């Protein structure tokens, strides 16, 4: 079992940057493939980025590729999402997710069995 807590969300102007963090406790993060998802009220949860257990492989949604970077520091039991050139359409609640059976990254939310509570990111025009 692992507990995930996101932080770093907030209000930012379009074109700005923000870094989200996900702190894991209860288990070592190295045992989990990790991902970031986001959700707007009334819409389905959307894949953002994912990273393998060791951090050697990553995957990104086309909408964020080139602007967002997912990374992990297993020694710190932390996952990060660095966001640049933010757009109003990036506004959403961002969720950290983990899988104790995946090794590589995955864009499918059903592959993840642990979720954080979410952190709000709002991008102003």
């Amino acid at each position: 079992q692992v507990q995930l807590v996101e932080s770093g969300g907030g209000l930012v102007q379009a074109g700005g940057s923000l870094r989200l963090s996900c702190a894991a406790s209860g288990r070592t993060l190295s045992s989990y493939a990790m991902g970031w998802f986001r959700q707007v009220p009334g819409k389905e949860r959307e894949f953002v980025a994912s990273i393998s257990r060791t951090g050697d492989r990553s995957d990104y949604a086309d909408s964020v590729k080139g602007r967002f970077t997912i990374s992990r520091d297993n020694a710190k039991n932390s996952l990060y999402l660095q966001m640049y050139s933010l757009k109003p359409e990036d506004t959403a609640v961002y969720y950290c997710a983990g899988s104790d059976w995946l090794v590589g990254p995955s864009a499918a939310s059903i592959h993840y069995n642990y979720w954080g509570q979410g952190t709000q990111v709002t991008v102003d025009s």
Side-chain angles (χ1 to χ4, degrees), residues 71-122:
S71 63
R72 65 191 300 159
D73 189 337
N74 287 341
K76 296 181 179 179
N77 271 359
S78 297
L79 176 75
Y80 307 99
L81 184 67
Q82 181 64 59
M83 304 183 291
Y84 295 105
S85 301
L86 284 163
K87 305 174 181 179
E89 52 263 43
D90 293 320
T91 296
V93 176
Y94 284 71
Y95 295 92
C96 171
S99 173
D100 59 5
W101 61 272
L102 282 175
V103 175
S106 175
S109 62
I110 58 173
H111 289 170
Y112 298 86
N113 50 347
Y114 299 97
W115 295 85
Q117 84 289 349
T119 185
Q120 177 71 46
V121 172
T122 303

Side-chain angles (χ1 to χ4, degrees), residues 26-108:
R27 301 282 177 149
T28 56
L29 193 65
S30 61
S31 298
Y32 302 84
M34 302 295 294
W36 287 99
F37 293 79
R38 64 189 183 187
Q39 189 168 25
V40 176
K43 295 185 178 180
E44 294 183 351
R45 194 182 307 159
E46 178 187 19
F47 168 72
V48 177
S50 183
I51 191 167
S52 62
R53 288 185 182 181
T54 62
D56 63 327
R57 290 179 291 157
S58 300
D59 190 27
Y60 297 90
D62 288 341
S63 60
V64 306
K65 193 171 297 182
R67 299 189 298 119
F68 292 9
T69 301
I70 188 171
S71 63
R72 65 191 300 159
D73 189 337
N74 287 341
K76 296 181 179 179
N77 271 359
S78 297
L79 176 75
Y80 307 99
L81 184 67
Q82 181 64 59
M83 304 183 291
Y84 295 105
S85 301
L86 284 163
K87 305 174 181 179
E89 52 263 43
D90 293 320
T91 296
V93 176
Y94 284 71
Y95 295 92
C96 171
S99 173
D100 59 5
W101 61 272
L102 282 175
V103 175
S106 175

Side-chain angles (χ1 to χ4, degrees), residues 7-31:
S7 63
L11 177 65
V12 64
Q13 292 183 334
S17 62
L18 204 63
R19 190 183 77 158
L20 305 183
S21 298
C22 175
S25 62
R27 301 282 177 149
T28 56
L29 193 65
S30 61
S31 298

